Amino acid sequence: GGVASGPFRTFALVVLPVLLFIGIATFIRVVQVQRESIVYITGLNRIRHFMAEGAPAARRFLVLPIYDDQVALYRSIGTGMTVKPPRYQVLYLVVQTQGMVGVVTAAVAAAIVGLLVAPAGDVTAWLAAALTFVAVAIALFAYWQRSLRALQASIRSEFPTPPEEYGAPF
């Protein structure tokens, strides 16, 4: 008996794969939205840079970055608006929407595997679930980072942040 058998297990093994699909699809879509946002943010930063060059007196009214590199992206809308790139990259990734969806999706995958392996014993099921969680989380985060690197490689920075402005207040 128990959770690993009977109607609950059957129900869970029907519902959880649907949730896994929703999680993976949501993760991919949120990564796509982030890619789109990076393009828009870069464009807006370039427009602000053009305005700052064309009308230097207006520069003091521009509160968002006028540069288009990685440093400027972290200071832009939708990124948490940090003064510098995050020191703890993994923590920064986990608390973004993609990271949260990725962690939940990995947990759903782990639950499926745990339920499938449960007849082999609790220790085996927990171990298989833990390994699945780690593998799925790594795979999702690797996809996300590879996707962002590919986009960033295709966008050449025209106006990098001057070193004296790294960490400067808004």
Side-chain angles (χ1 to χ4, degrees):
V3 173
S5 63
F8 175 80
R9 181 173 186 260
T10 302
F11 175 77
L13 288 174
V14 169
V15 172
L16 289 176
V18 174
L19 293 176
L20 180 62
F21 167 77
I22 291 169
I24 292 170
T26 301
F27 182 85
I28 291 169
R29 184 61 194 131
V30 176
V31 168
Q32 291 171 343
V33 168
Q34 183 184 31
R35 289 173 51 93
E36 293 166 9
S37 293
I38 289 170
V39 172
Y40 301 145
I41 289 168
T42 301
L44 288 169
N45 288 4
R46 288 178 179 180
I47 290 168
R48 282 190 293 278
H49 191 275
F50 175 78
M51 291 173 56
E53 282 186 337
R59 188 172 178 155
R60 68 187 185 105
F61 298 105
L62 301 174
V63 295
L64 292 174
I66 64 169
Y67 305 108
D68 66 352
D69 59 354
Q70 280 298 112
V71 173
L73 277 178
Y74 283 108
R75 299 181 75 168
S76 298
I77 292 174
T79 63
M81 299 181 91
T82 58
V83 176
K84 296 187 240 182
R87 179 179 298 171
Y88 305 106
Q89 191 70 24
V90 172
L91 181 60
Y92 178 76
L93 295 176
V94 170
V95 299
Q96 290 188 42
T97 303
Q98 303 88 310
M100 291 183 286
V101 171
V103 167
V104 171
T105 300
V108 170
I112 292 168
V113 169
L115 284 170
L116 288 172
V117 178
D122 289 348
V123 172
T124 304
W126 279 104
L127 182 60
L131 291 174
T132 299
F133 176 85
V134 170
V136 170
I138 288 172
L140 291 173
F141 280 62
Y143 163 79
W144 176 17
Q145 294 308 294
R146 190 171 46 252
S147 177
L148 291 183
R149 278 193 303 275
L151 176 67
Q152 290 163 346
S154 71
I155 300 174
R156 190 182 78 238
S157 176
E158 298 284 333
F159 311 107
T161 303
E164 65 272 10
E165 292 201 26
Y166 285 16
F170 293 93

